[in-house]
Amino acid sequence: MNHYSIYWIKEEFAHHFFHNSEVLYRFIKEYQMNKNREDLKRQYEYITLEFPKLSLISHITNNHPNNSNMKVEDDRLKIYKDIQYISLHIQKKKINFRSEMIHDAEELLFPALRLFQPYLFIVGNNLNNYGWISPVIQRKKDKTEHVLYSYL
């Protein structure tokens, strides 16, 4: 099974880093490896939003594909259809999920998440995969530049 994490990025940073997603990916990986570094922790807290567990669970429950099944256990969800299976764990600042293939998530999970929030960034925890769940609509360039710190 492959492991992925989903982060809700604040809109202003999603717009800024949409075409620089490698920088955001490197920052998140650096933070994951060095959670005790105060500078990375503050930046991570600043650019990400918390997931409202109850409303997200309700949203996914109401918007998962009709031909799939779902089981809810506290902050964990299991979505399955035939041989496709996804297991989700909703935490404060990220959603962890496991699936055999990312295509399973594309069919069973991502459509509901796209309706919930477009600024979701996905990182493969055991793979070097990353990307946005939806295209970020670009607006006029911000007057301020934001920089994330990363060694990578």
Side-chain angles (χ1 to χ4, degrees), residues 7-152:
Y7 301 89
W8 185 355
I9 306 298
K10 288 182 182 175
E11 182 178 358
E12 66 179 295
F13 298 105
H15 285 282
H16 183 76
F17 289 104
F18 179 70
H19 291 291
N20 297 315
S21 55
E22 183 180 350
V23 172
L24 184 57
Y25 168 73
R26 288 192 329 247
F27 168 74
I28 289 172
K29 286 302 222 183
E30 182 73 19
Y31 171 71
Q32 289 173 341
M33 293 185 298
N34 297 291
K35 290 185 179 182
N36 57 340
R37 279 190 46 197
E38 198 59 37
D39 59 333
L40 295 176
K41 184 177 181 179
R42 282 194 309 266
Q43 288 181 48
Y44 173 78
E45 290 295 324
Y46 188 69
I47 69 165
T48 58
L49 293 168
E50 293 182 13
F51 285 99
K53 287 182 186 179
L54 295 177
S55 63
L56 180 59
I57 290 169
S58 175
H59 178 81
I60 293 172
T61 301
N62 293 328
N63 290 286
H64 71 88
N66 290 334
N67 55 354
S68 67
N69 297 302
M70 177 178 286
K71 185 175 182 181
V72 179
E73 299 170 352
D74 297 320
D75 56 358
R76 297 179 187 273
L77 296 162
K78 296 176 182 177
I79 307 170
Y80 49 95
K81 176 187 150 198
D82 301 326
I83 62 169
Q84 296 175 306
Y85 172 78
I86 296 176
S87 172
L88 285 94
H89 179 222
I90 302 170
Q91 297 177 334
K92 180 179 174 181
K93 288 270 197 165
K94 68 180 176 179
I95 300 171
N96 287 320
F97 77 91
R98 293 179 299 161
S99 69
E100 205 54 49
M101 296 179 14
I102 194 71
H103 301 295
D104 297 344
E106 181 60 51
E107 185 176 332
L108 299 177
L109 176 63
F110 293 172
L113 290 179
R114 284 186 186 103
L115 293 172
F116 180 75
Q117 178 53 240
Y119 306 119
L120 299 177
F121 190 72
I122 302 164
V123 174
N125 294 331
N126 57 336
L127 305 165
N128 288 330
N129 290 348
Y130 58 91
W132 296 96
I133 196 164
S134 301
V136 174
I137 298 171
Q138 292 296 333
R139 59 182 182 190
K140 290 186 179 182
K141 202 158 179 85
D142 291 330
K143 300 223 188 271
T144 60
E145 293 291 324
H146 299 283
V147 177
L148 291 176
Y149 180 78
S150 174
Y151 281 121
L152 301 176

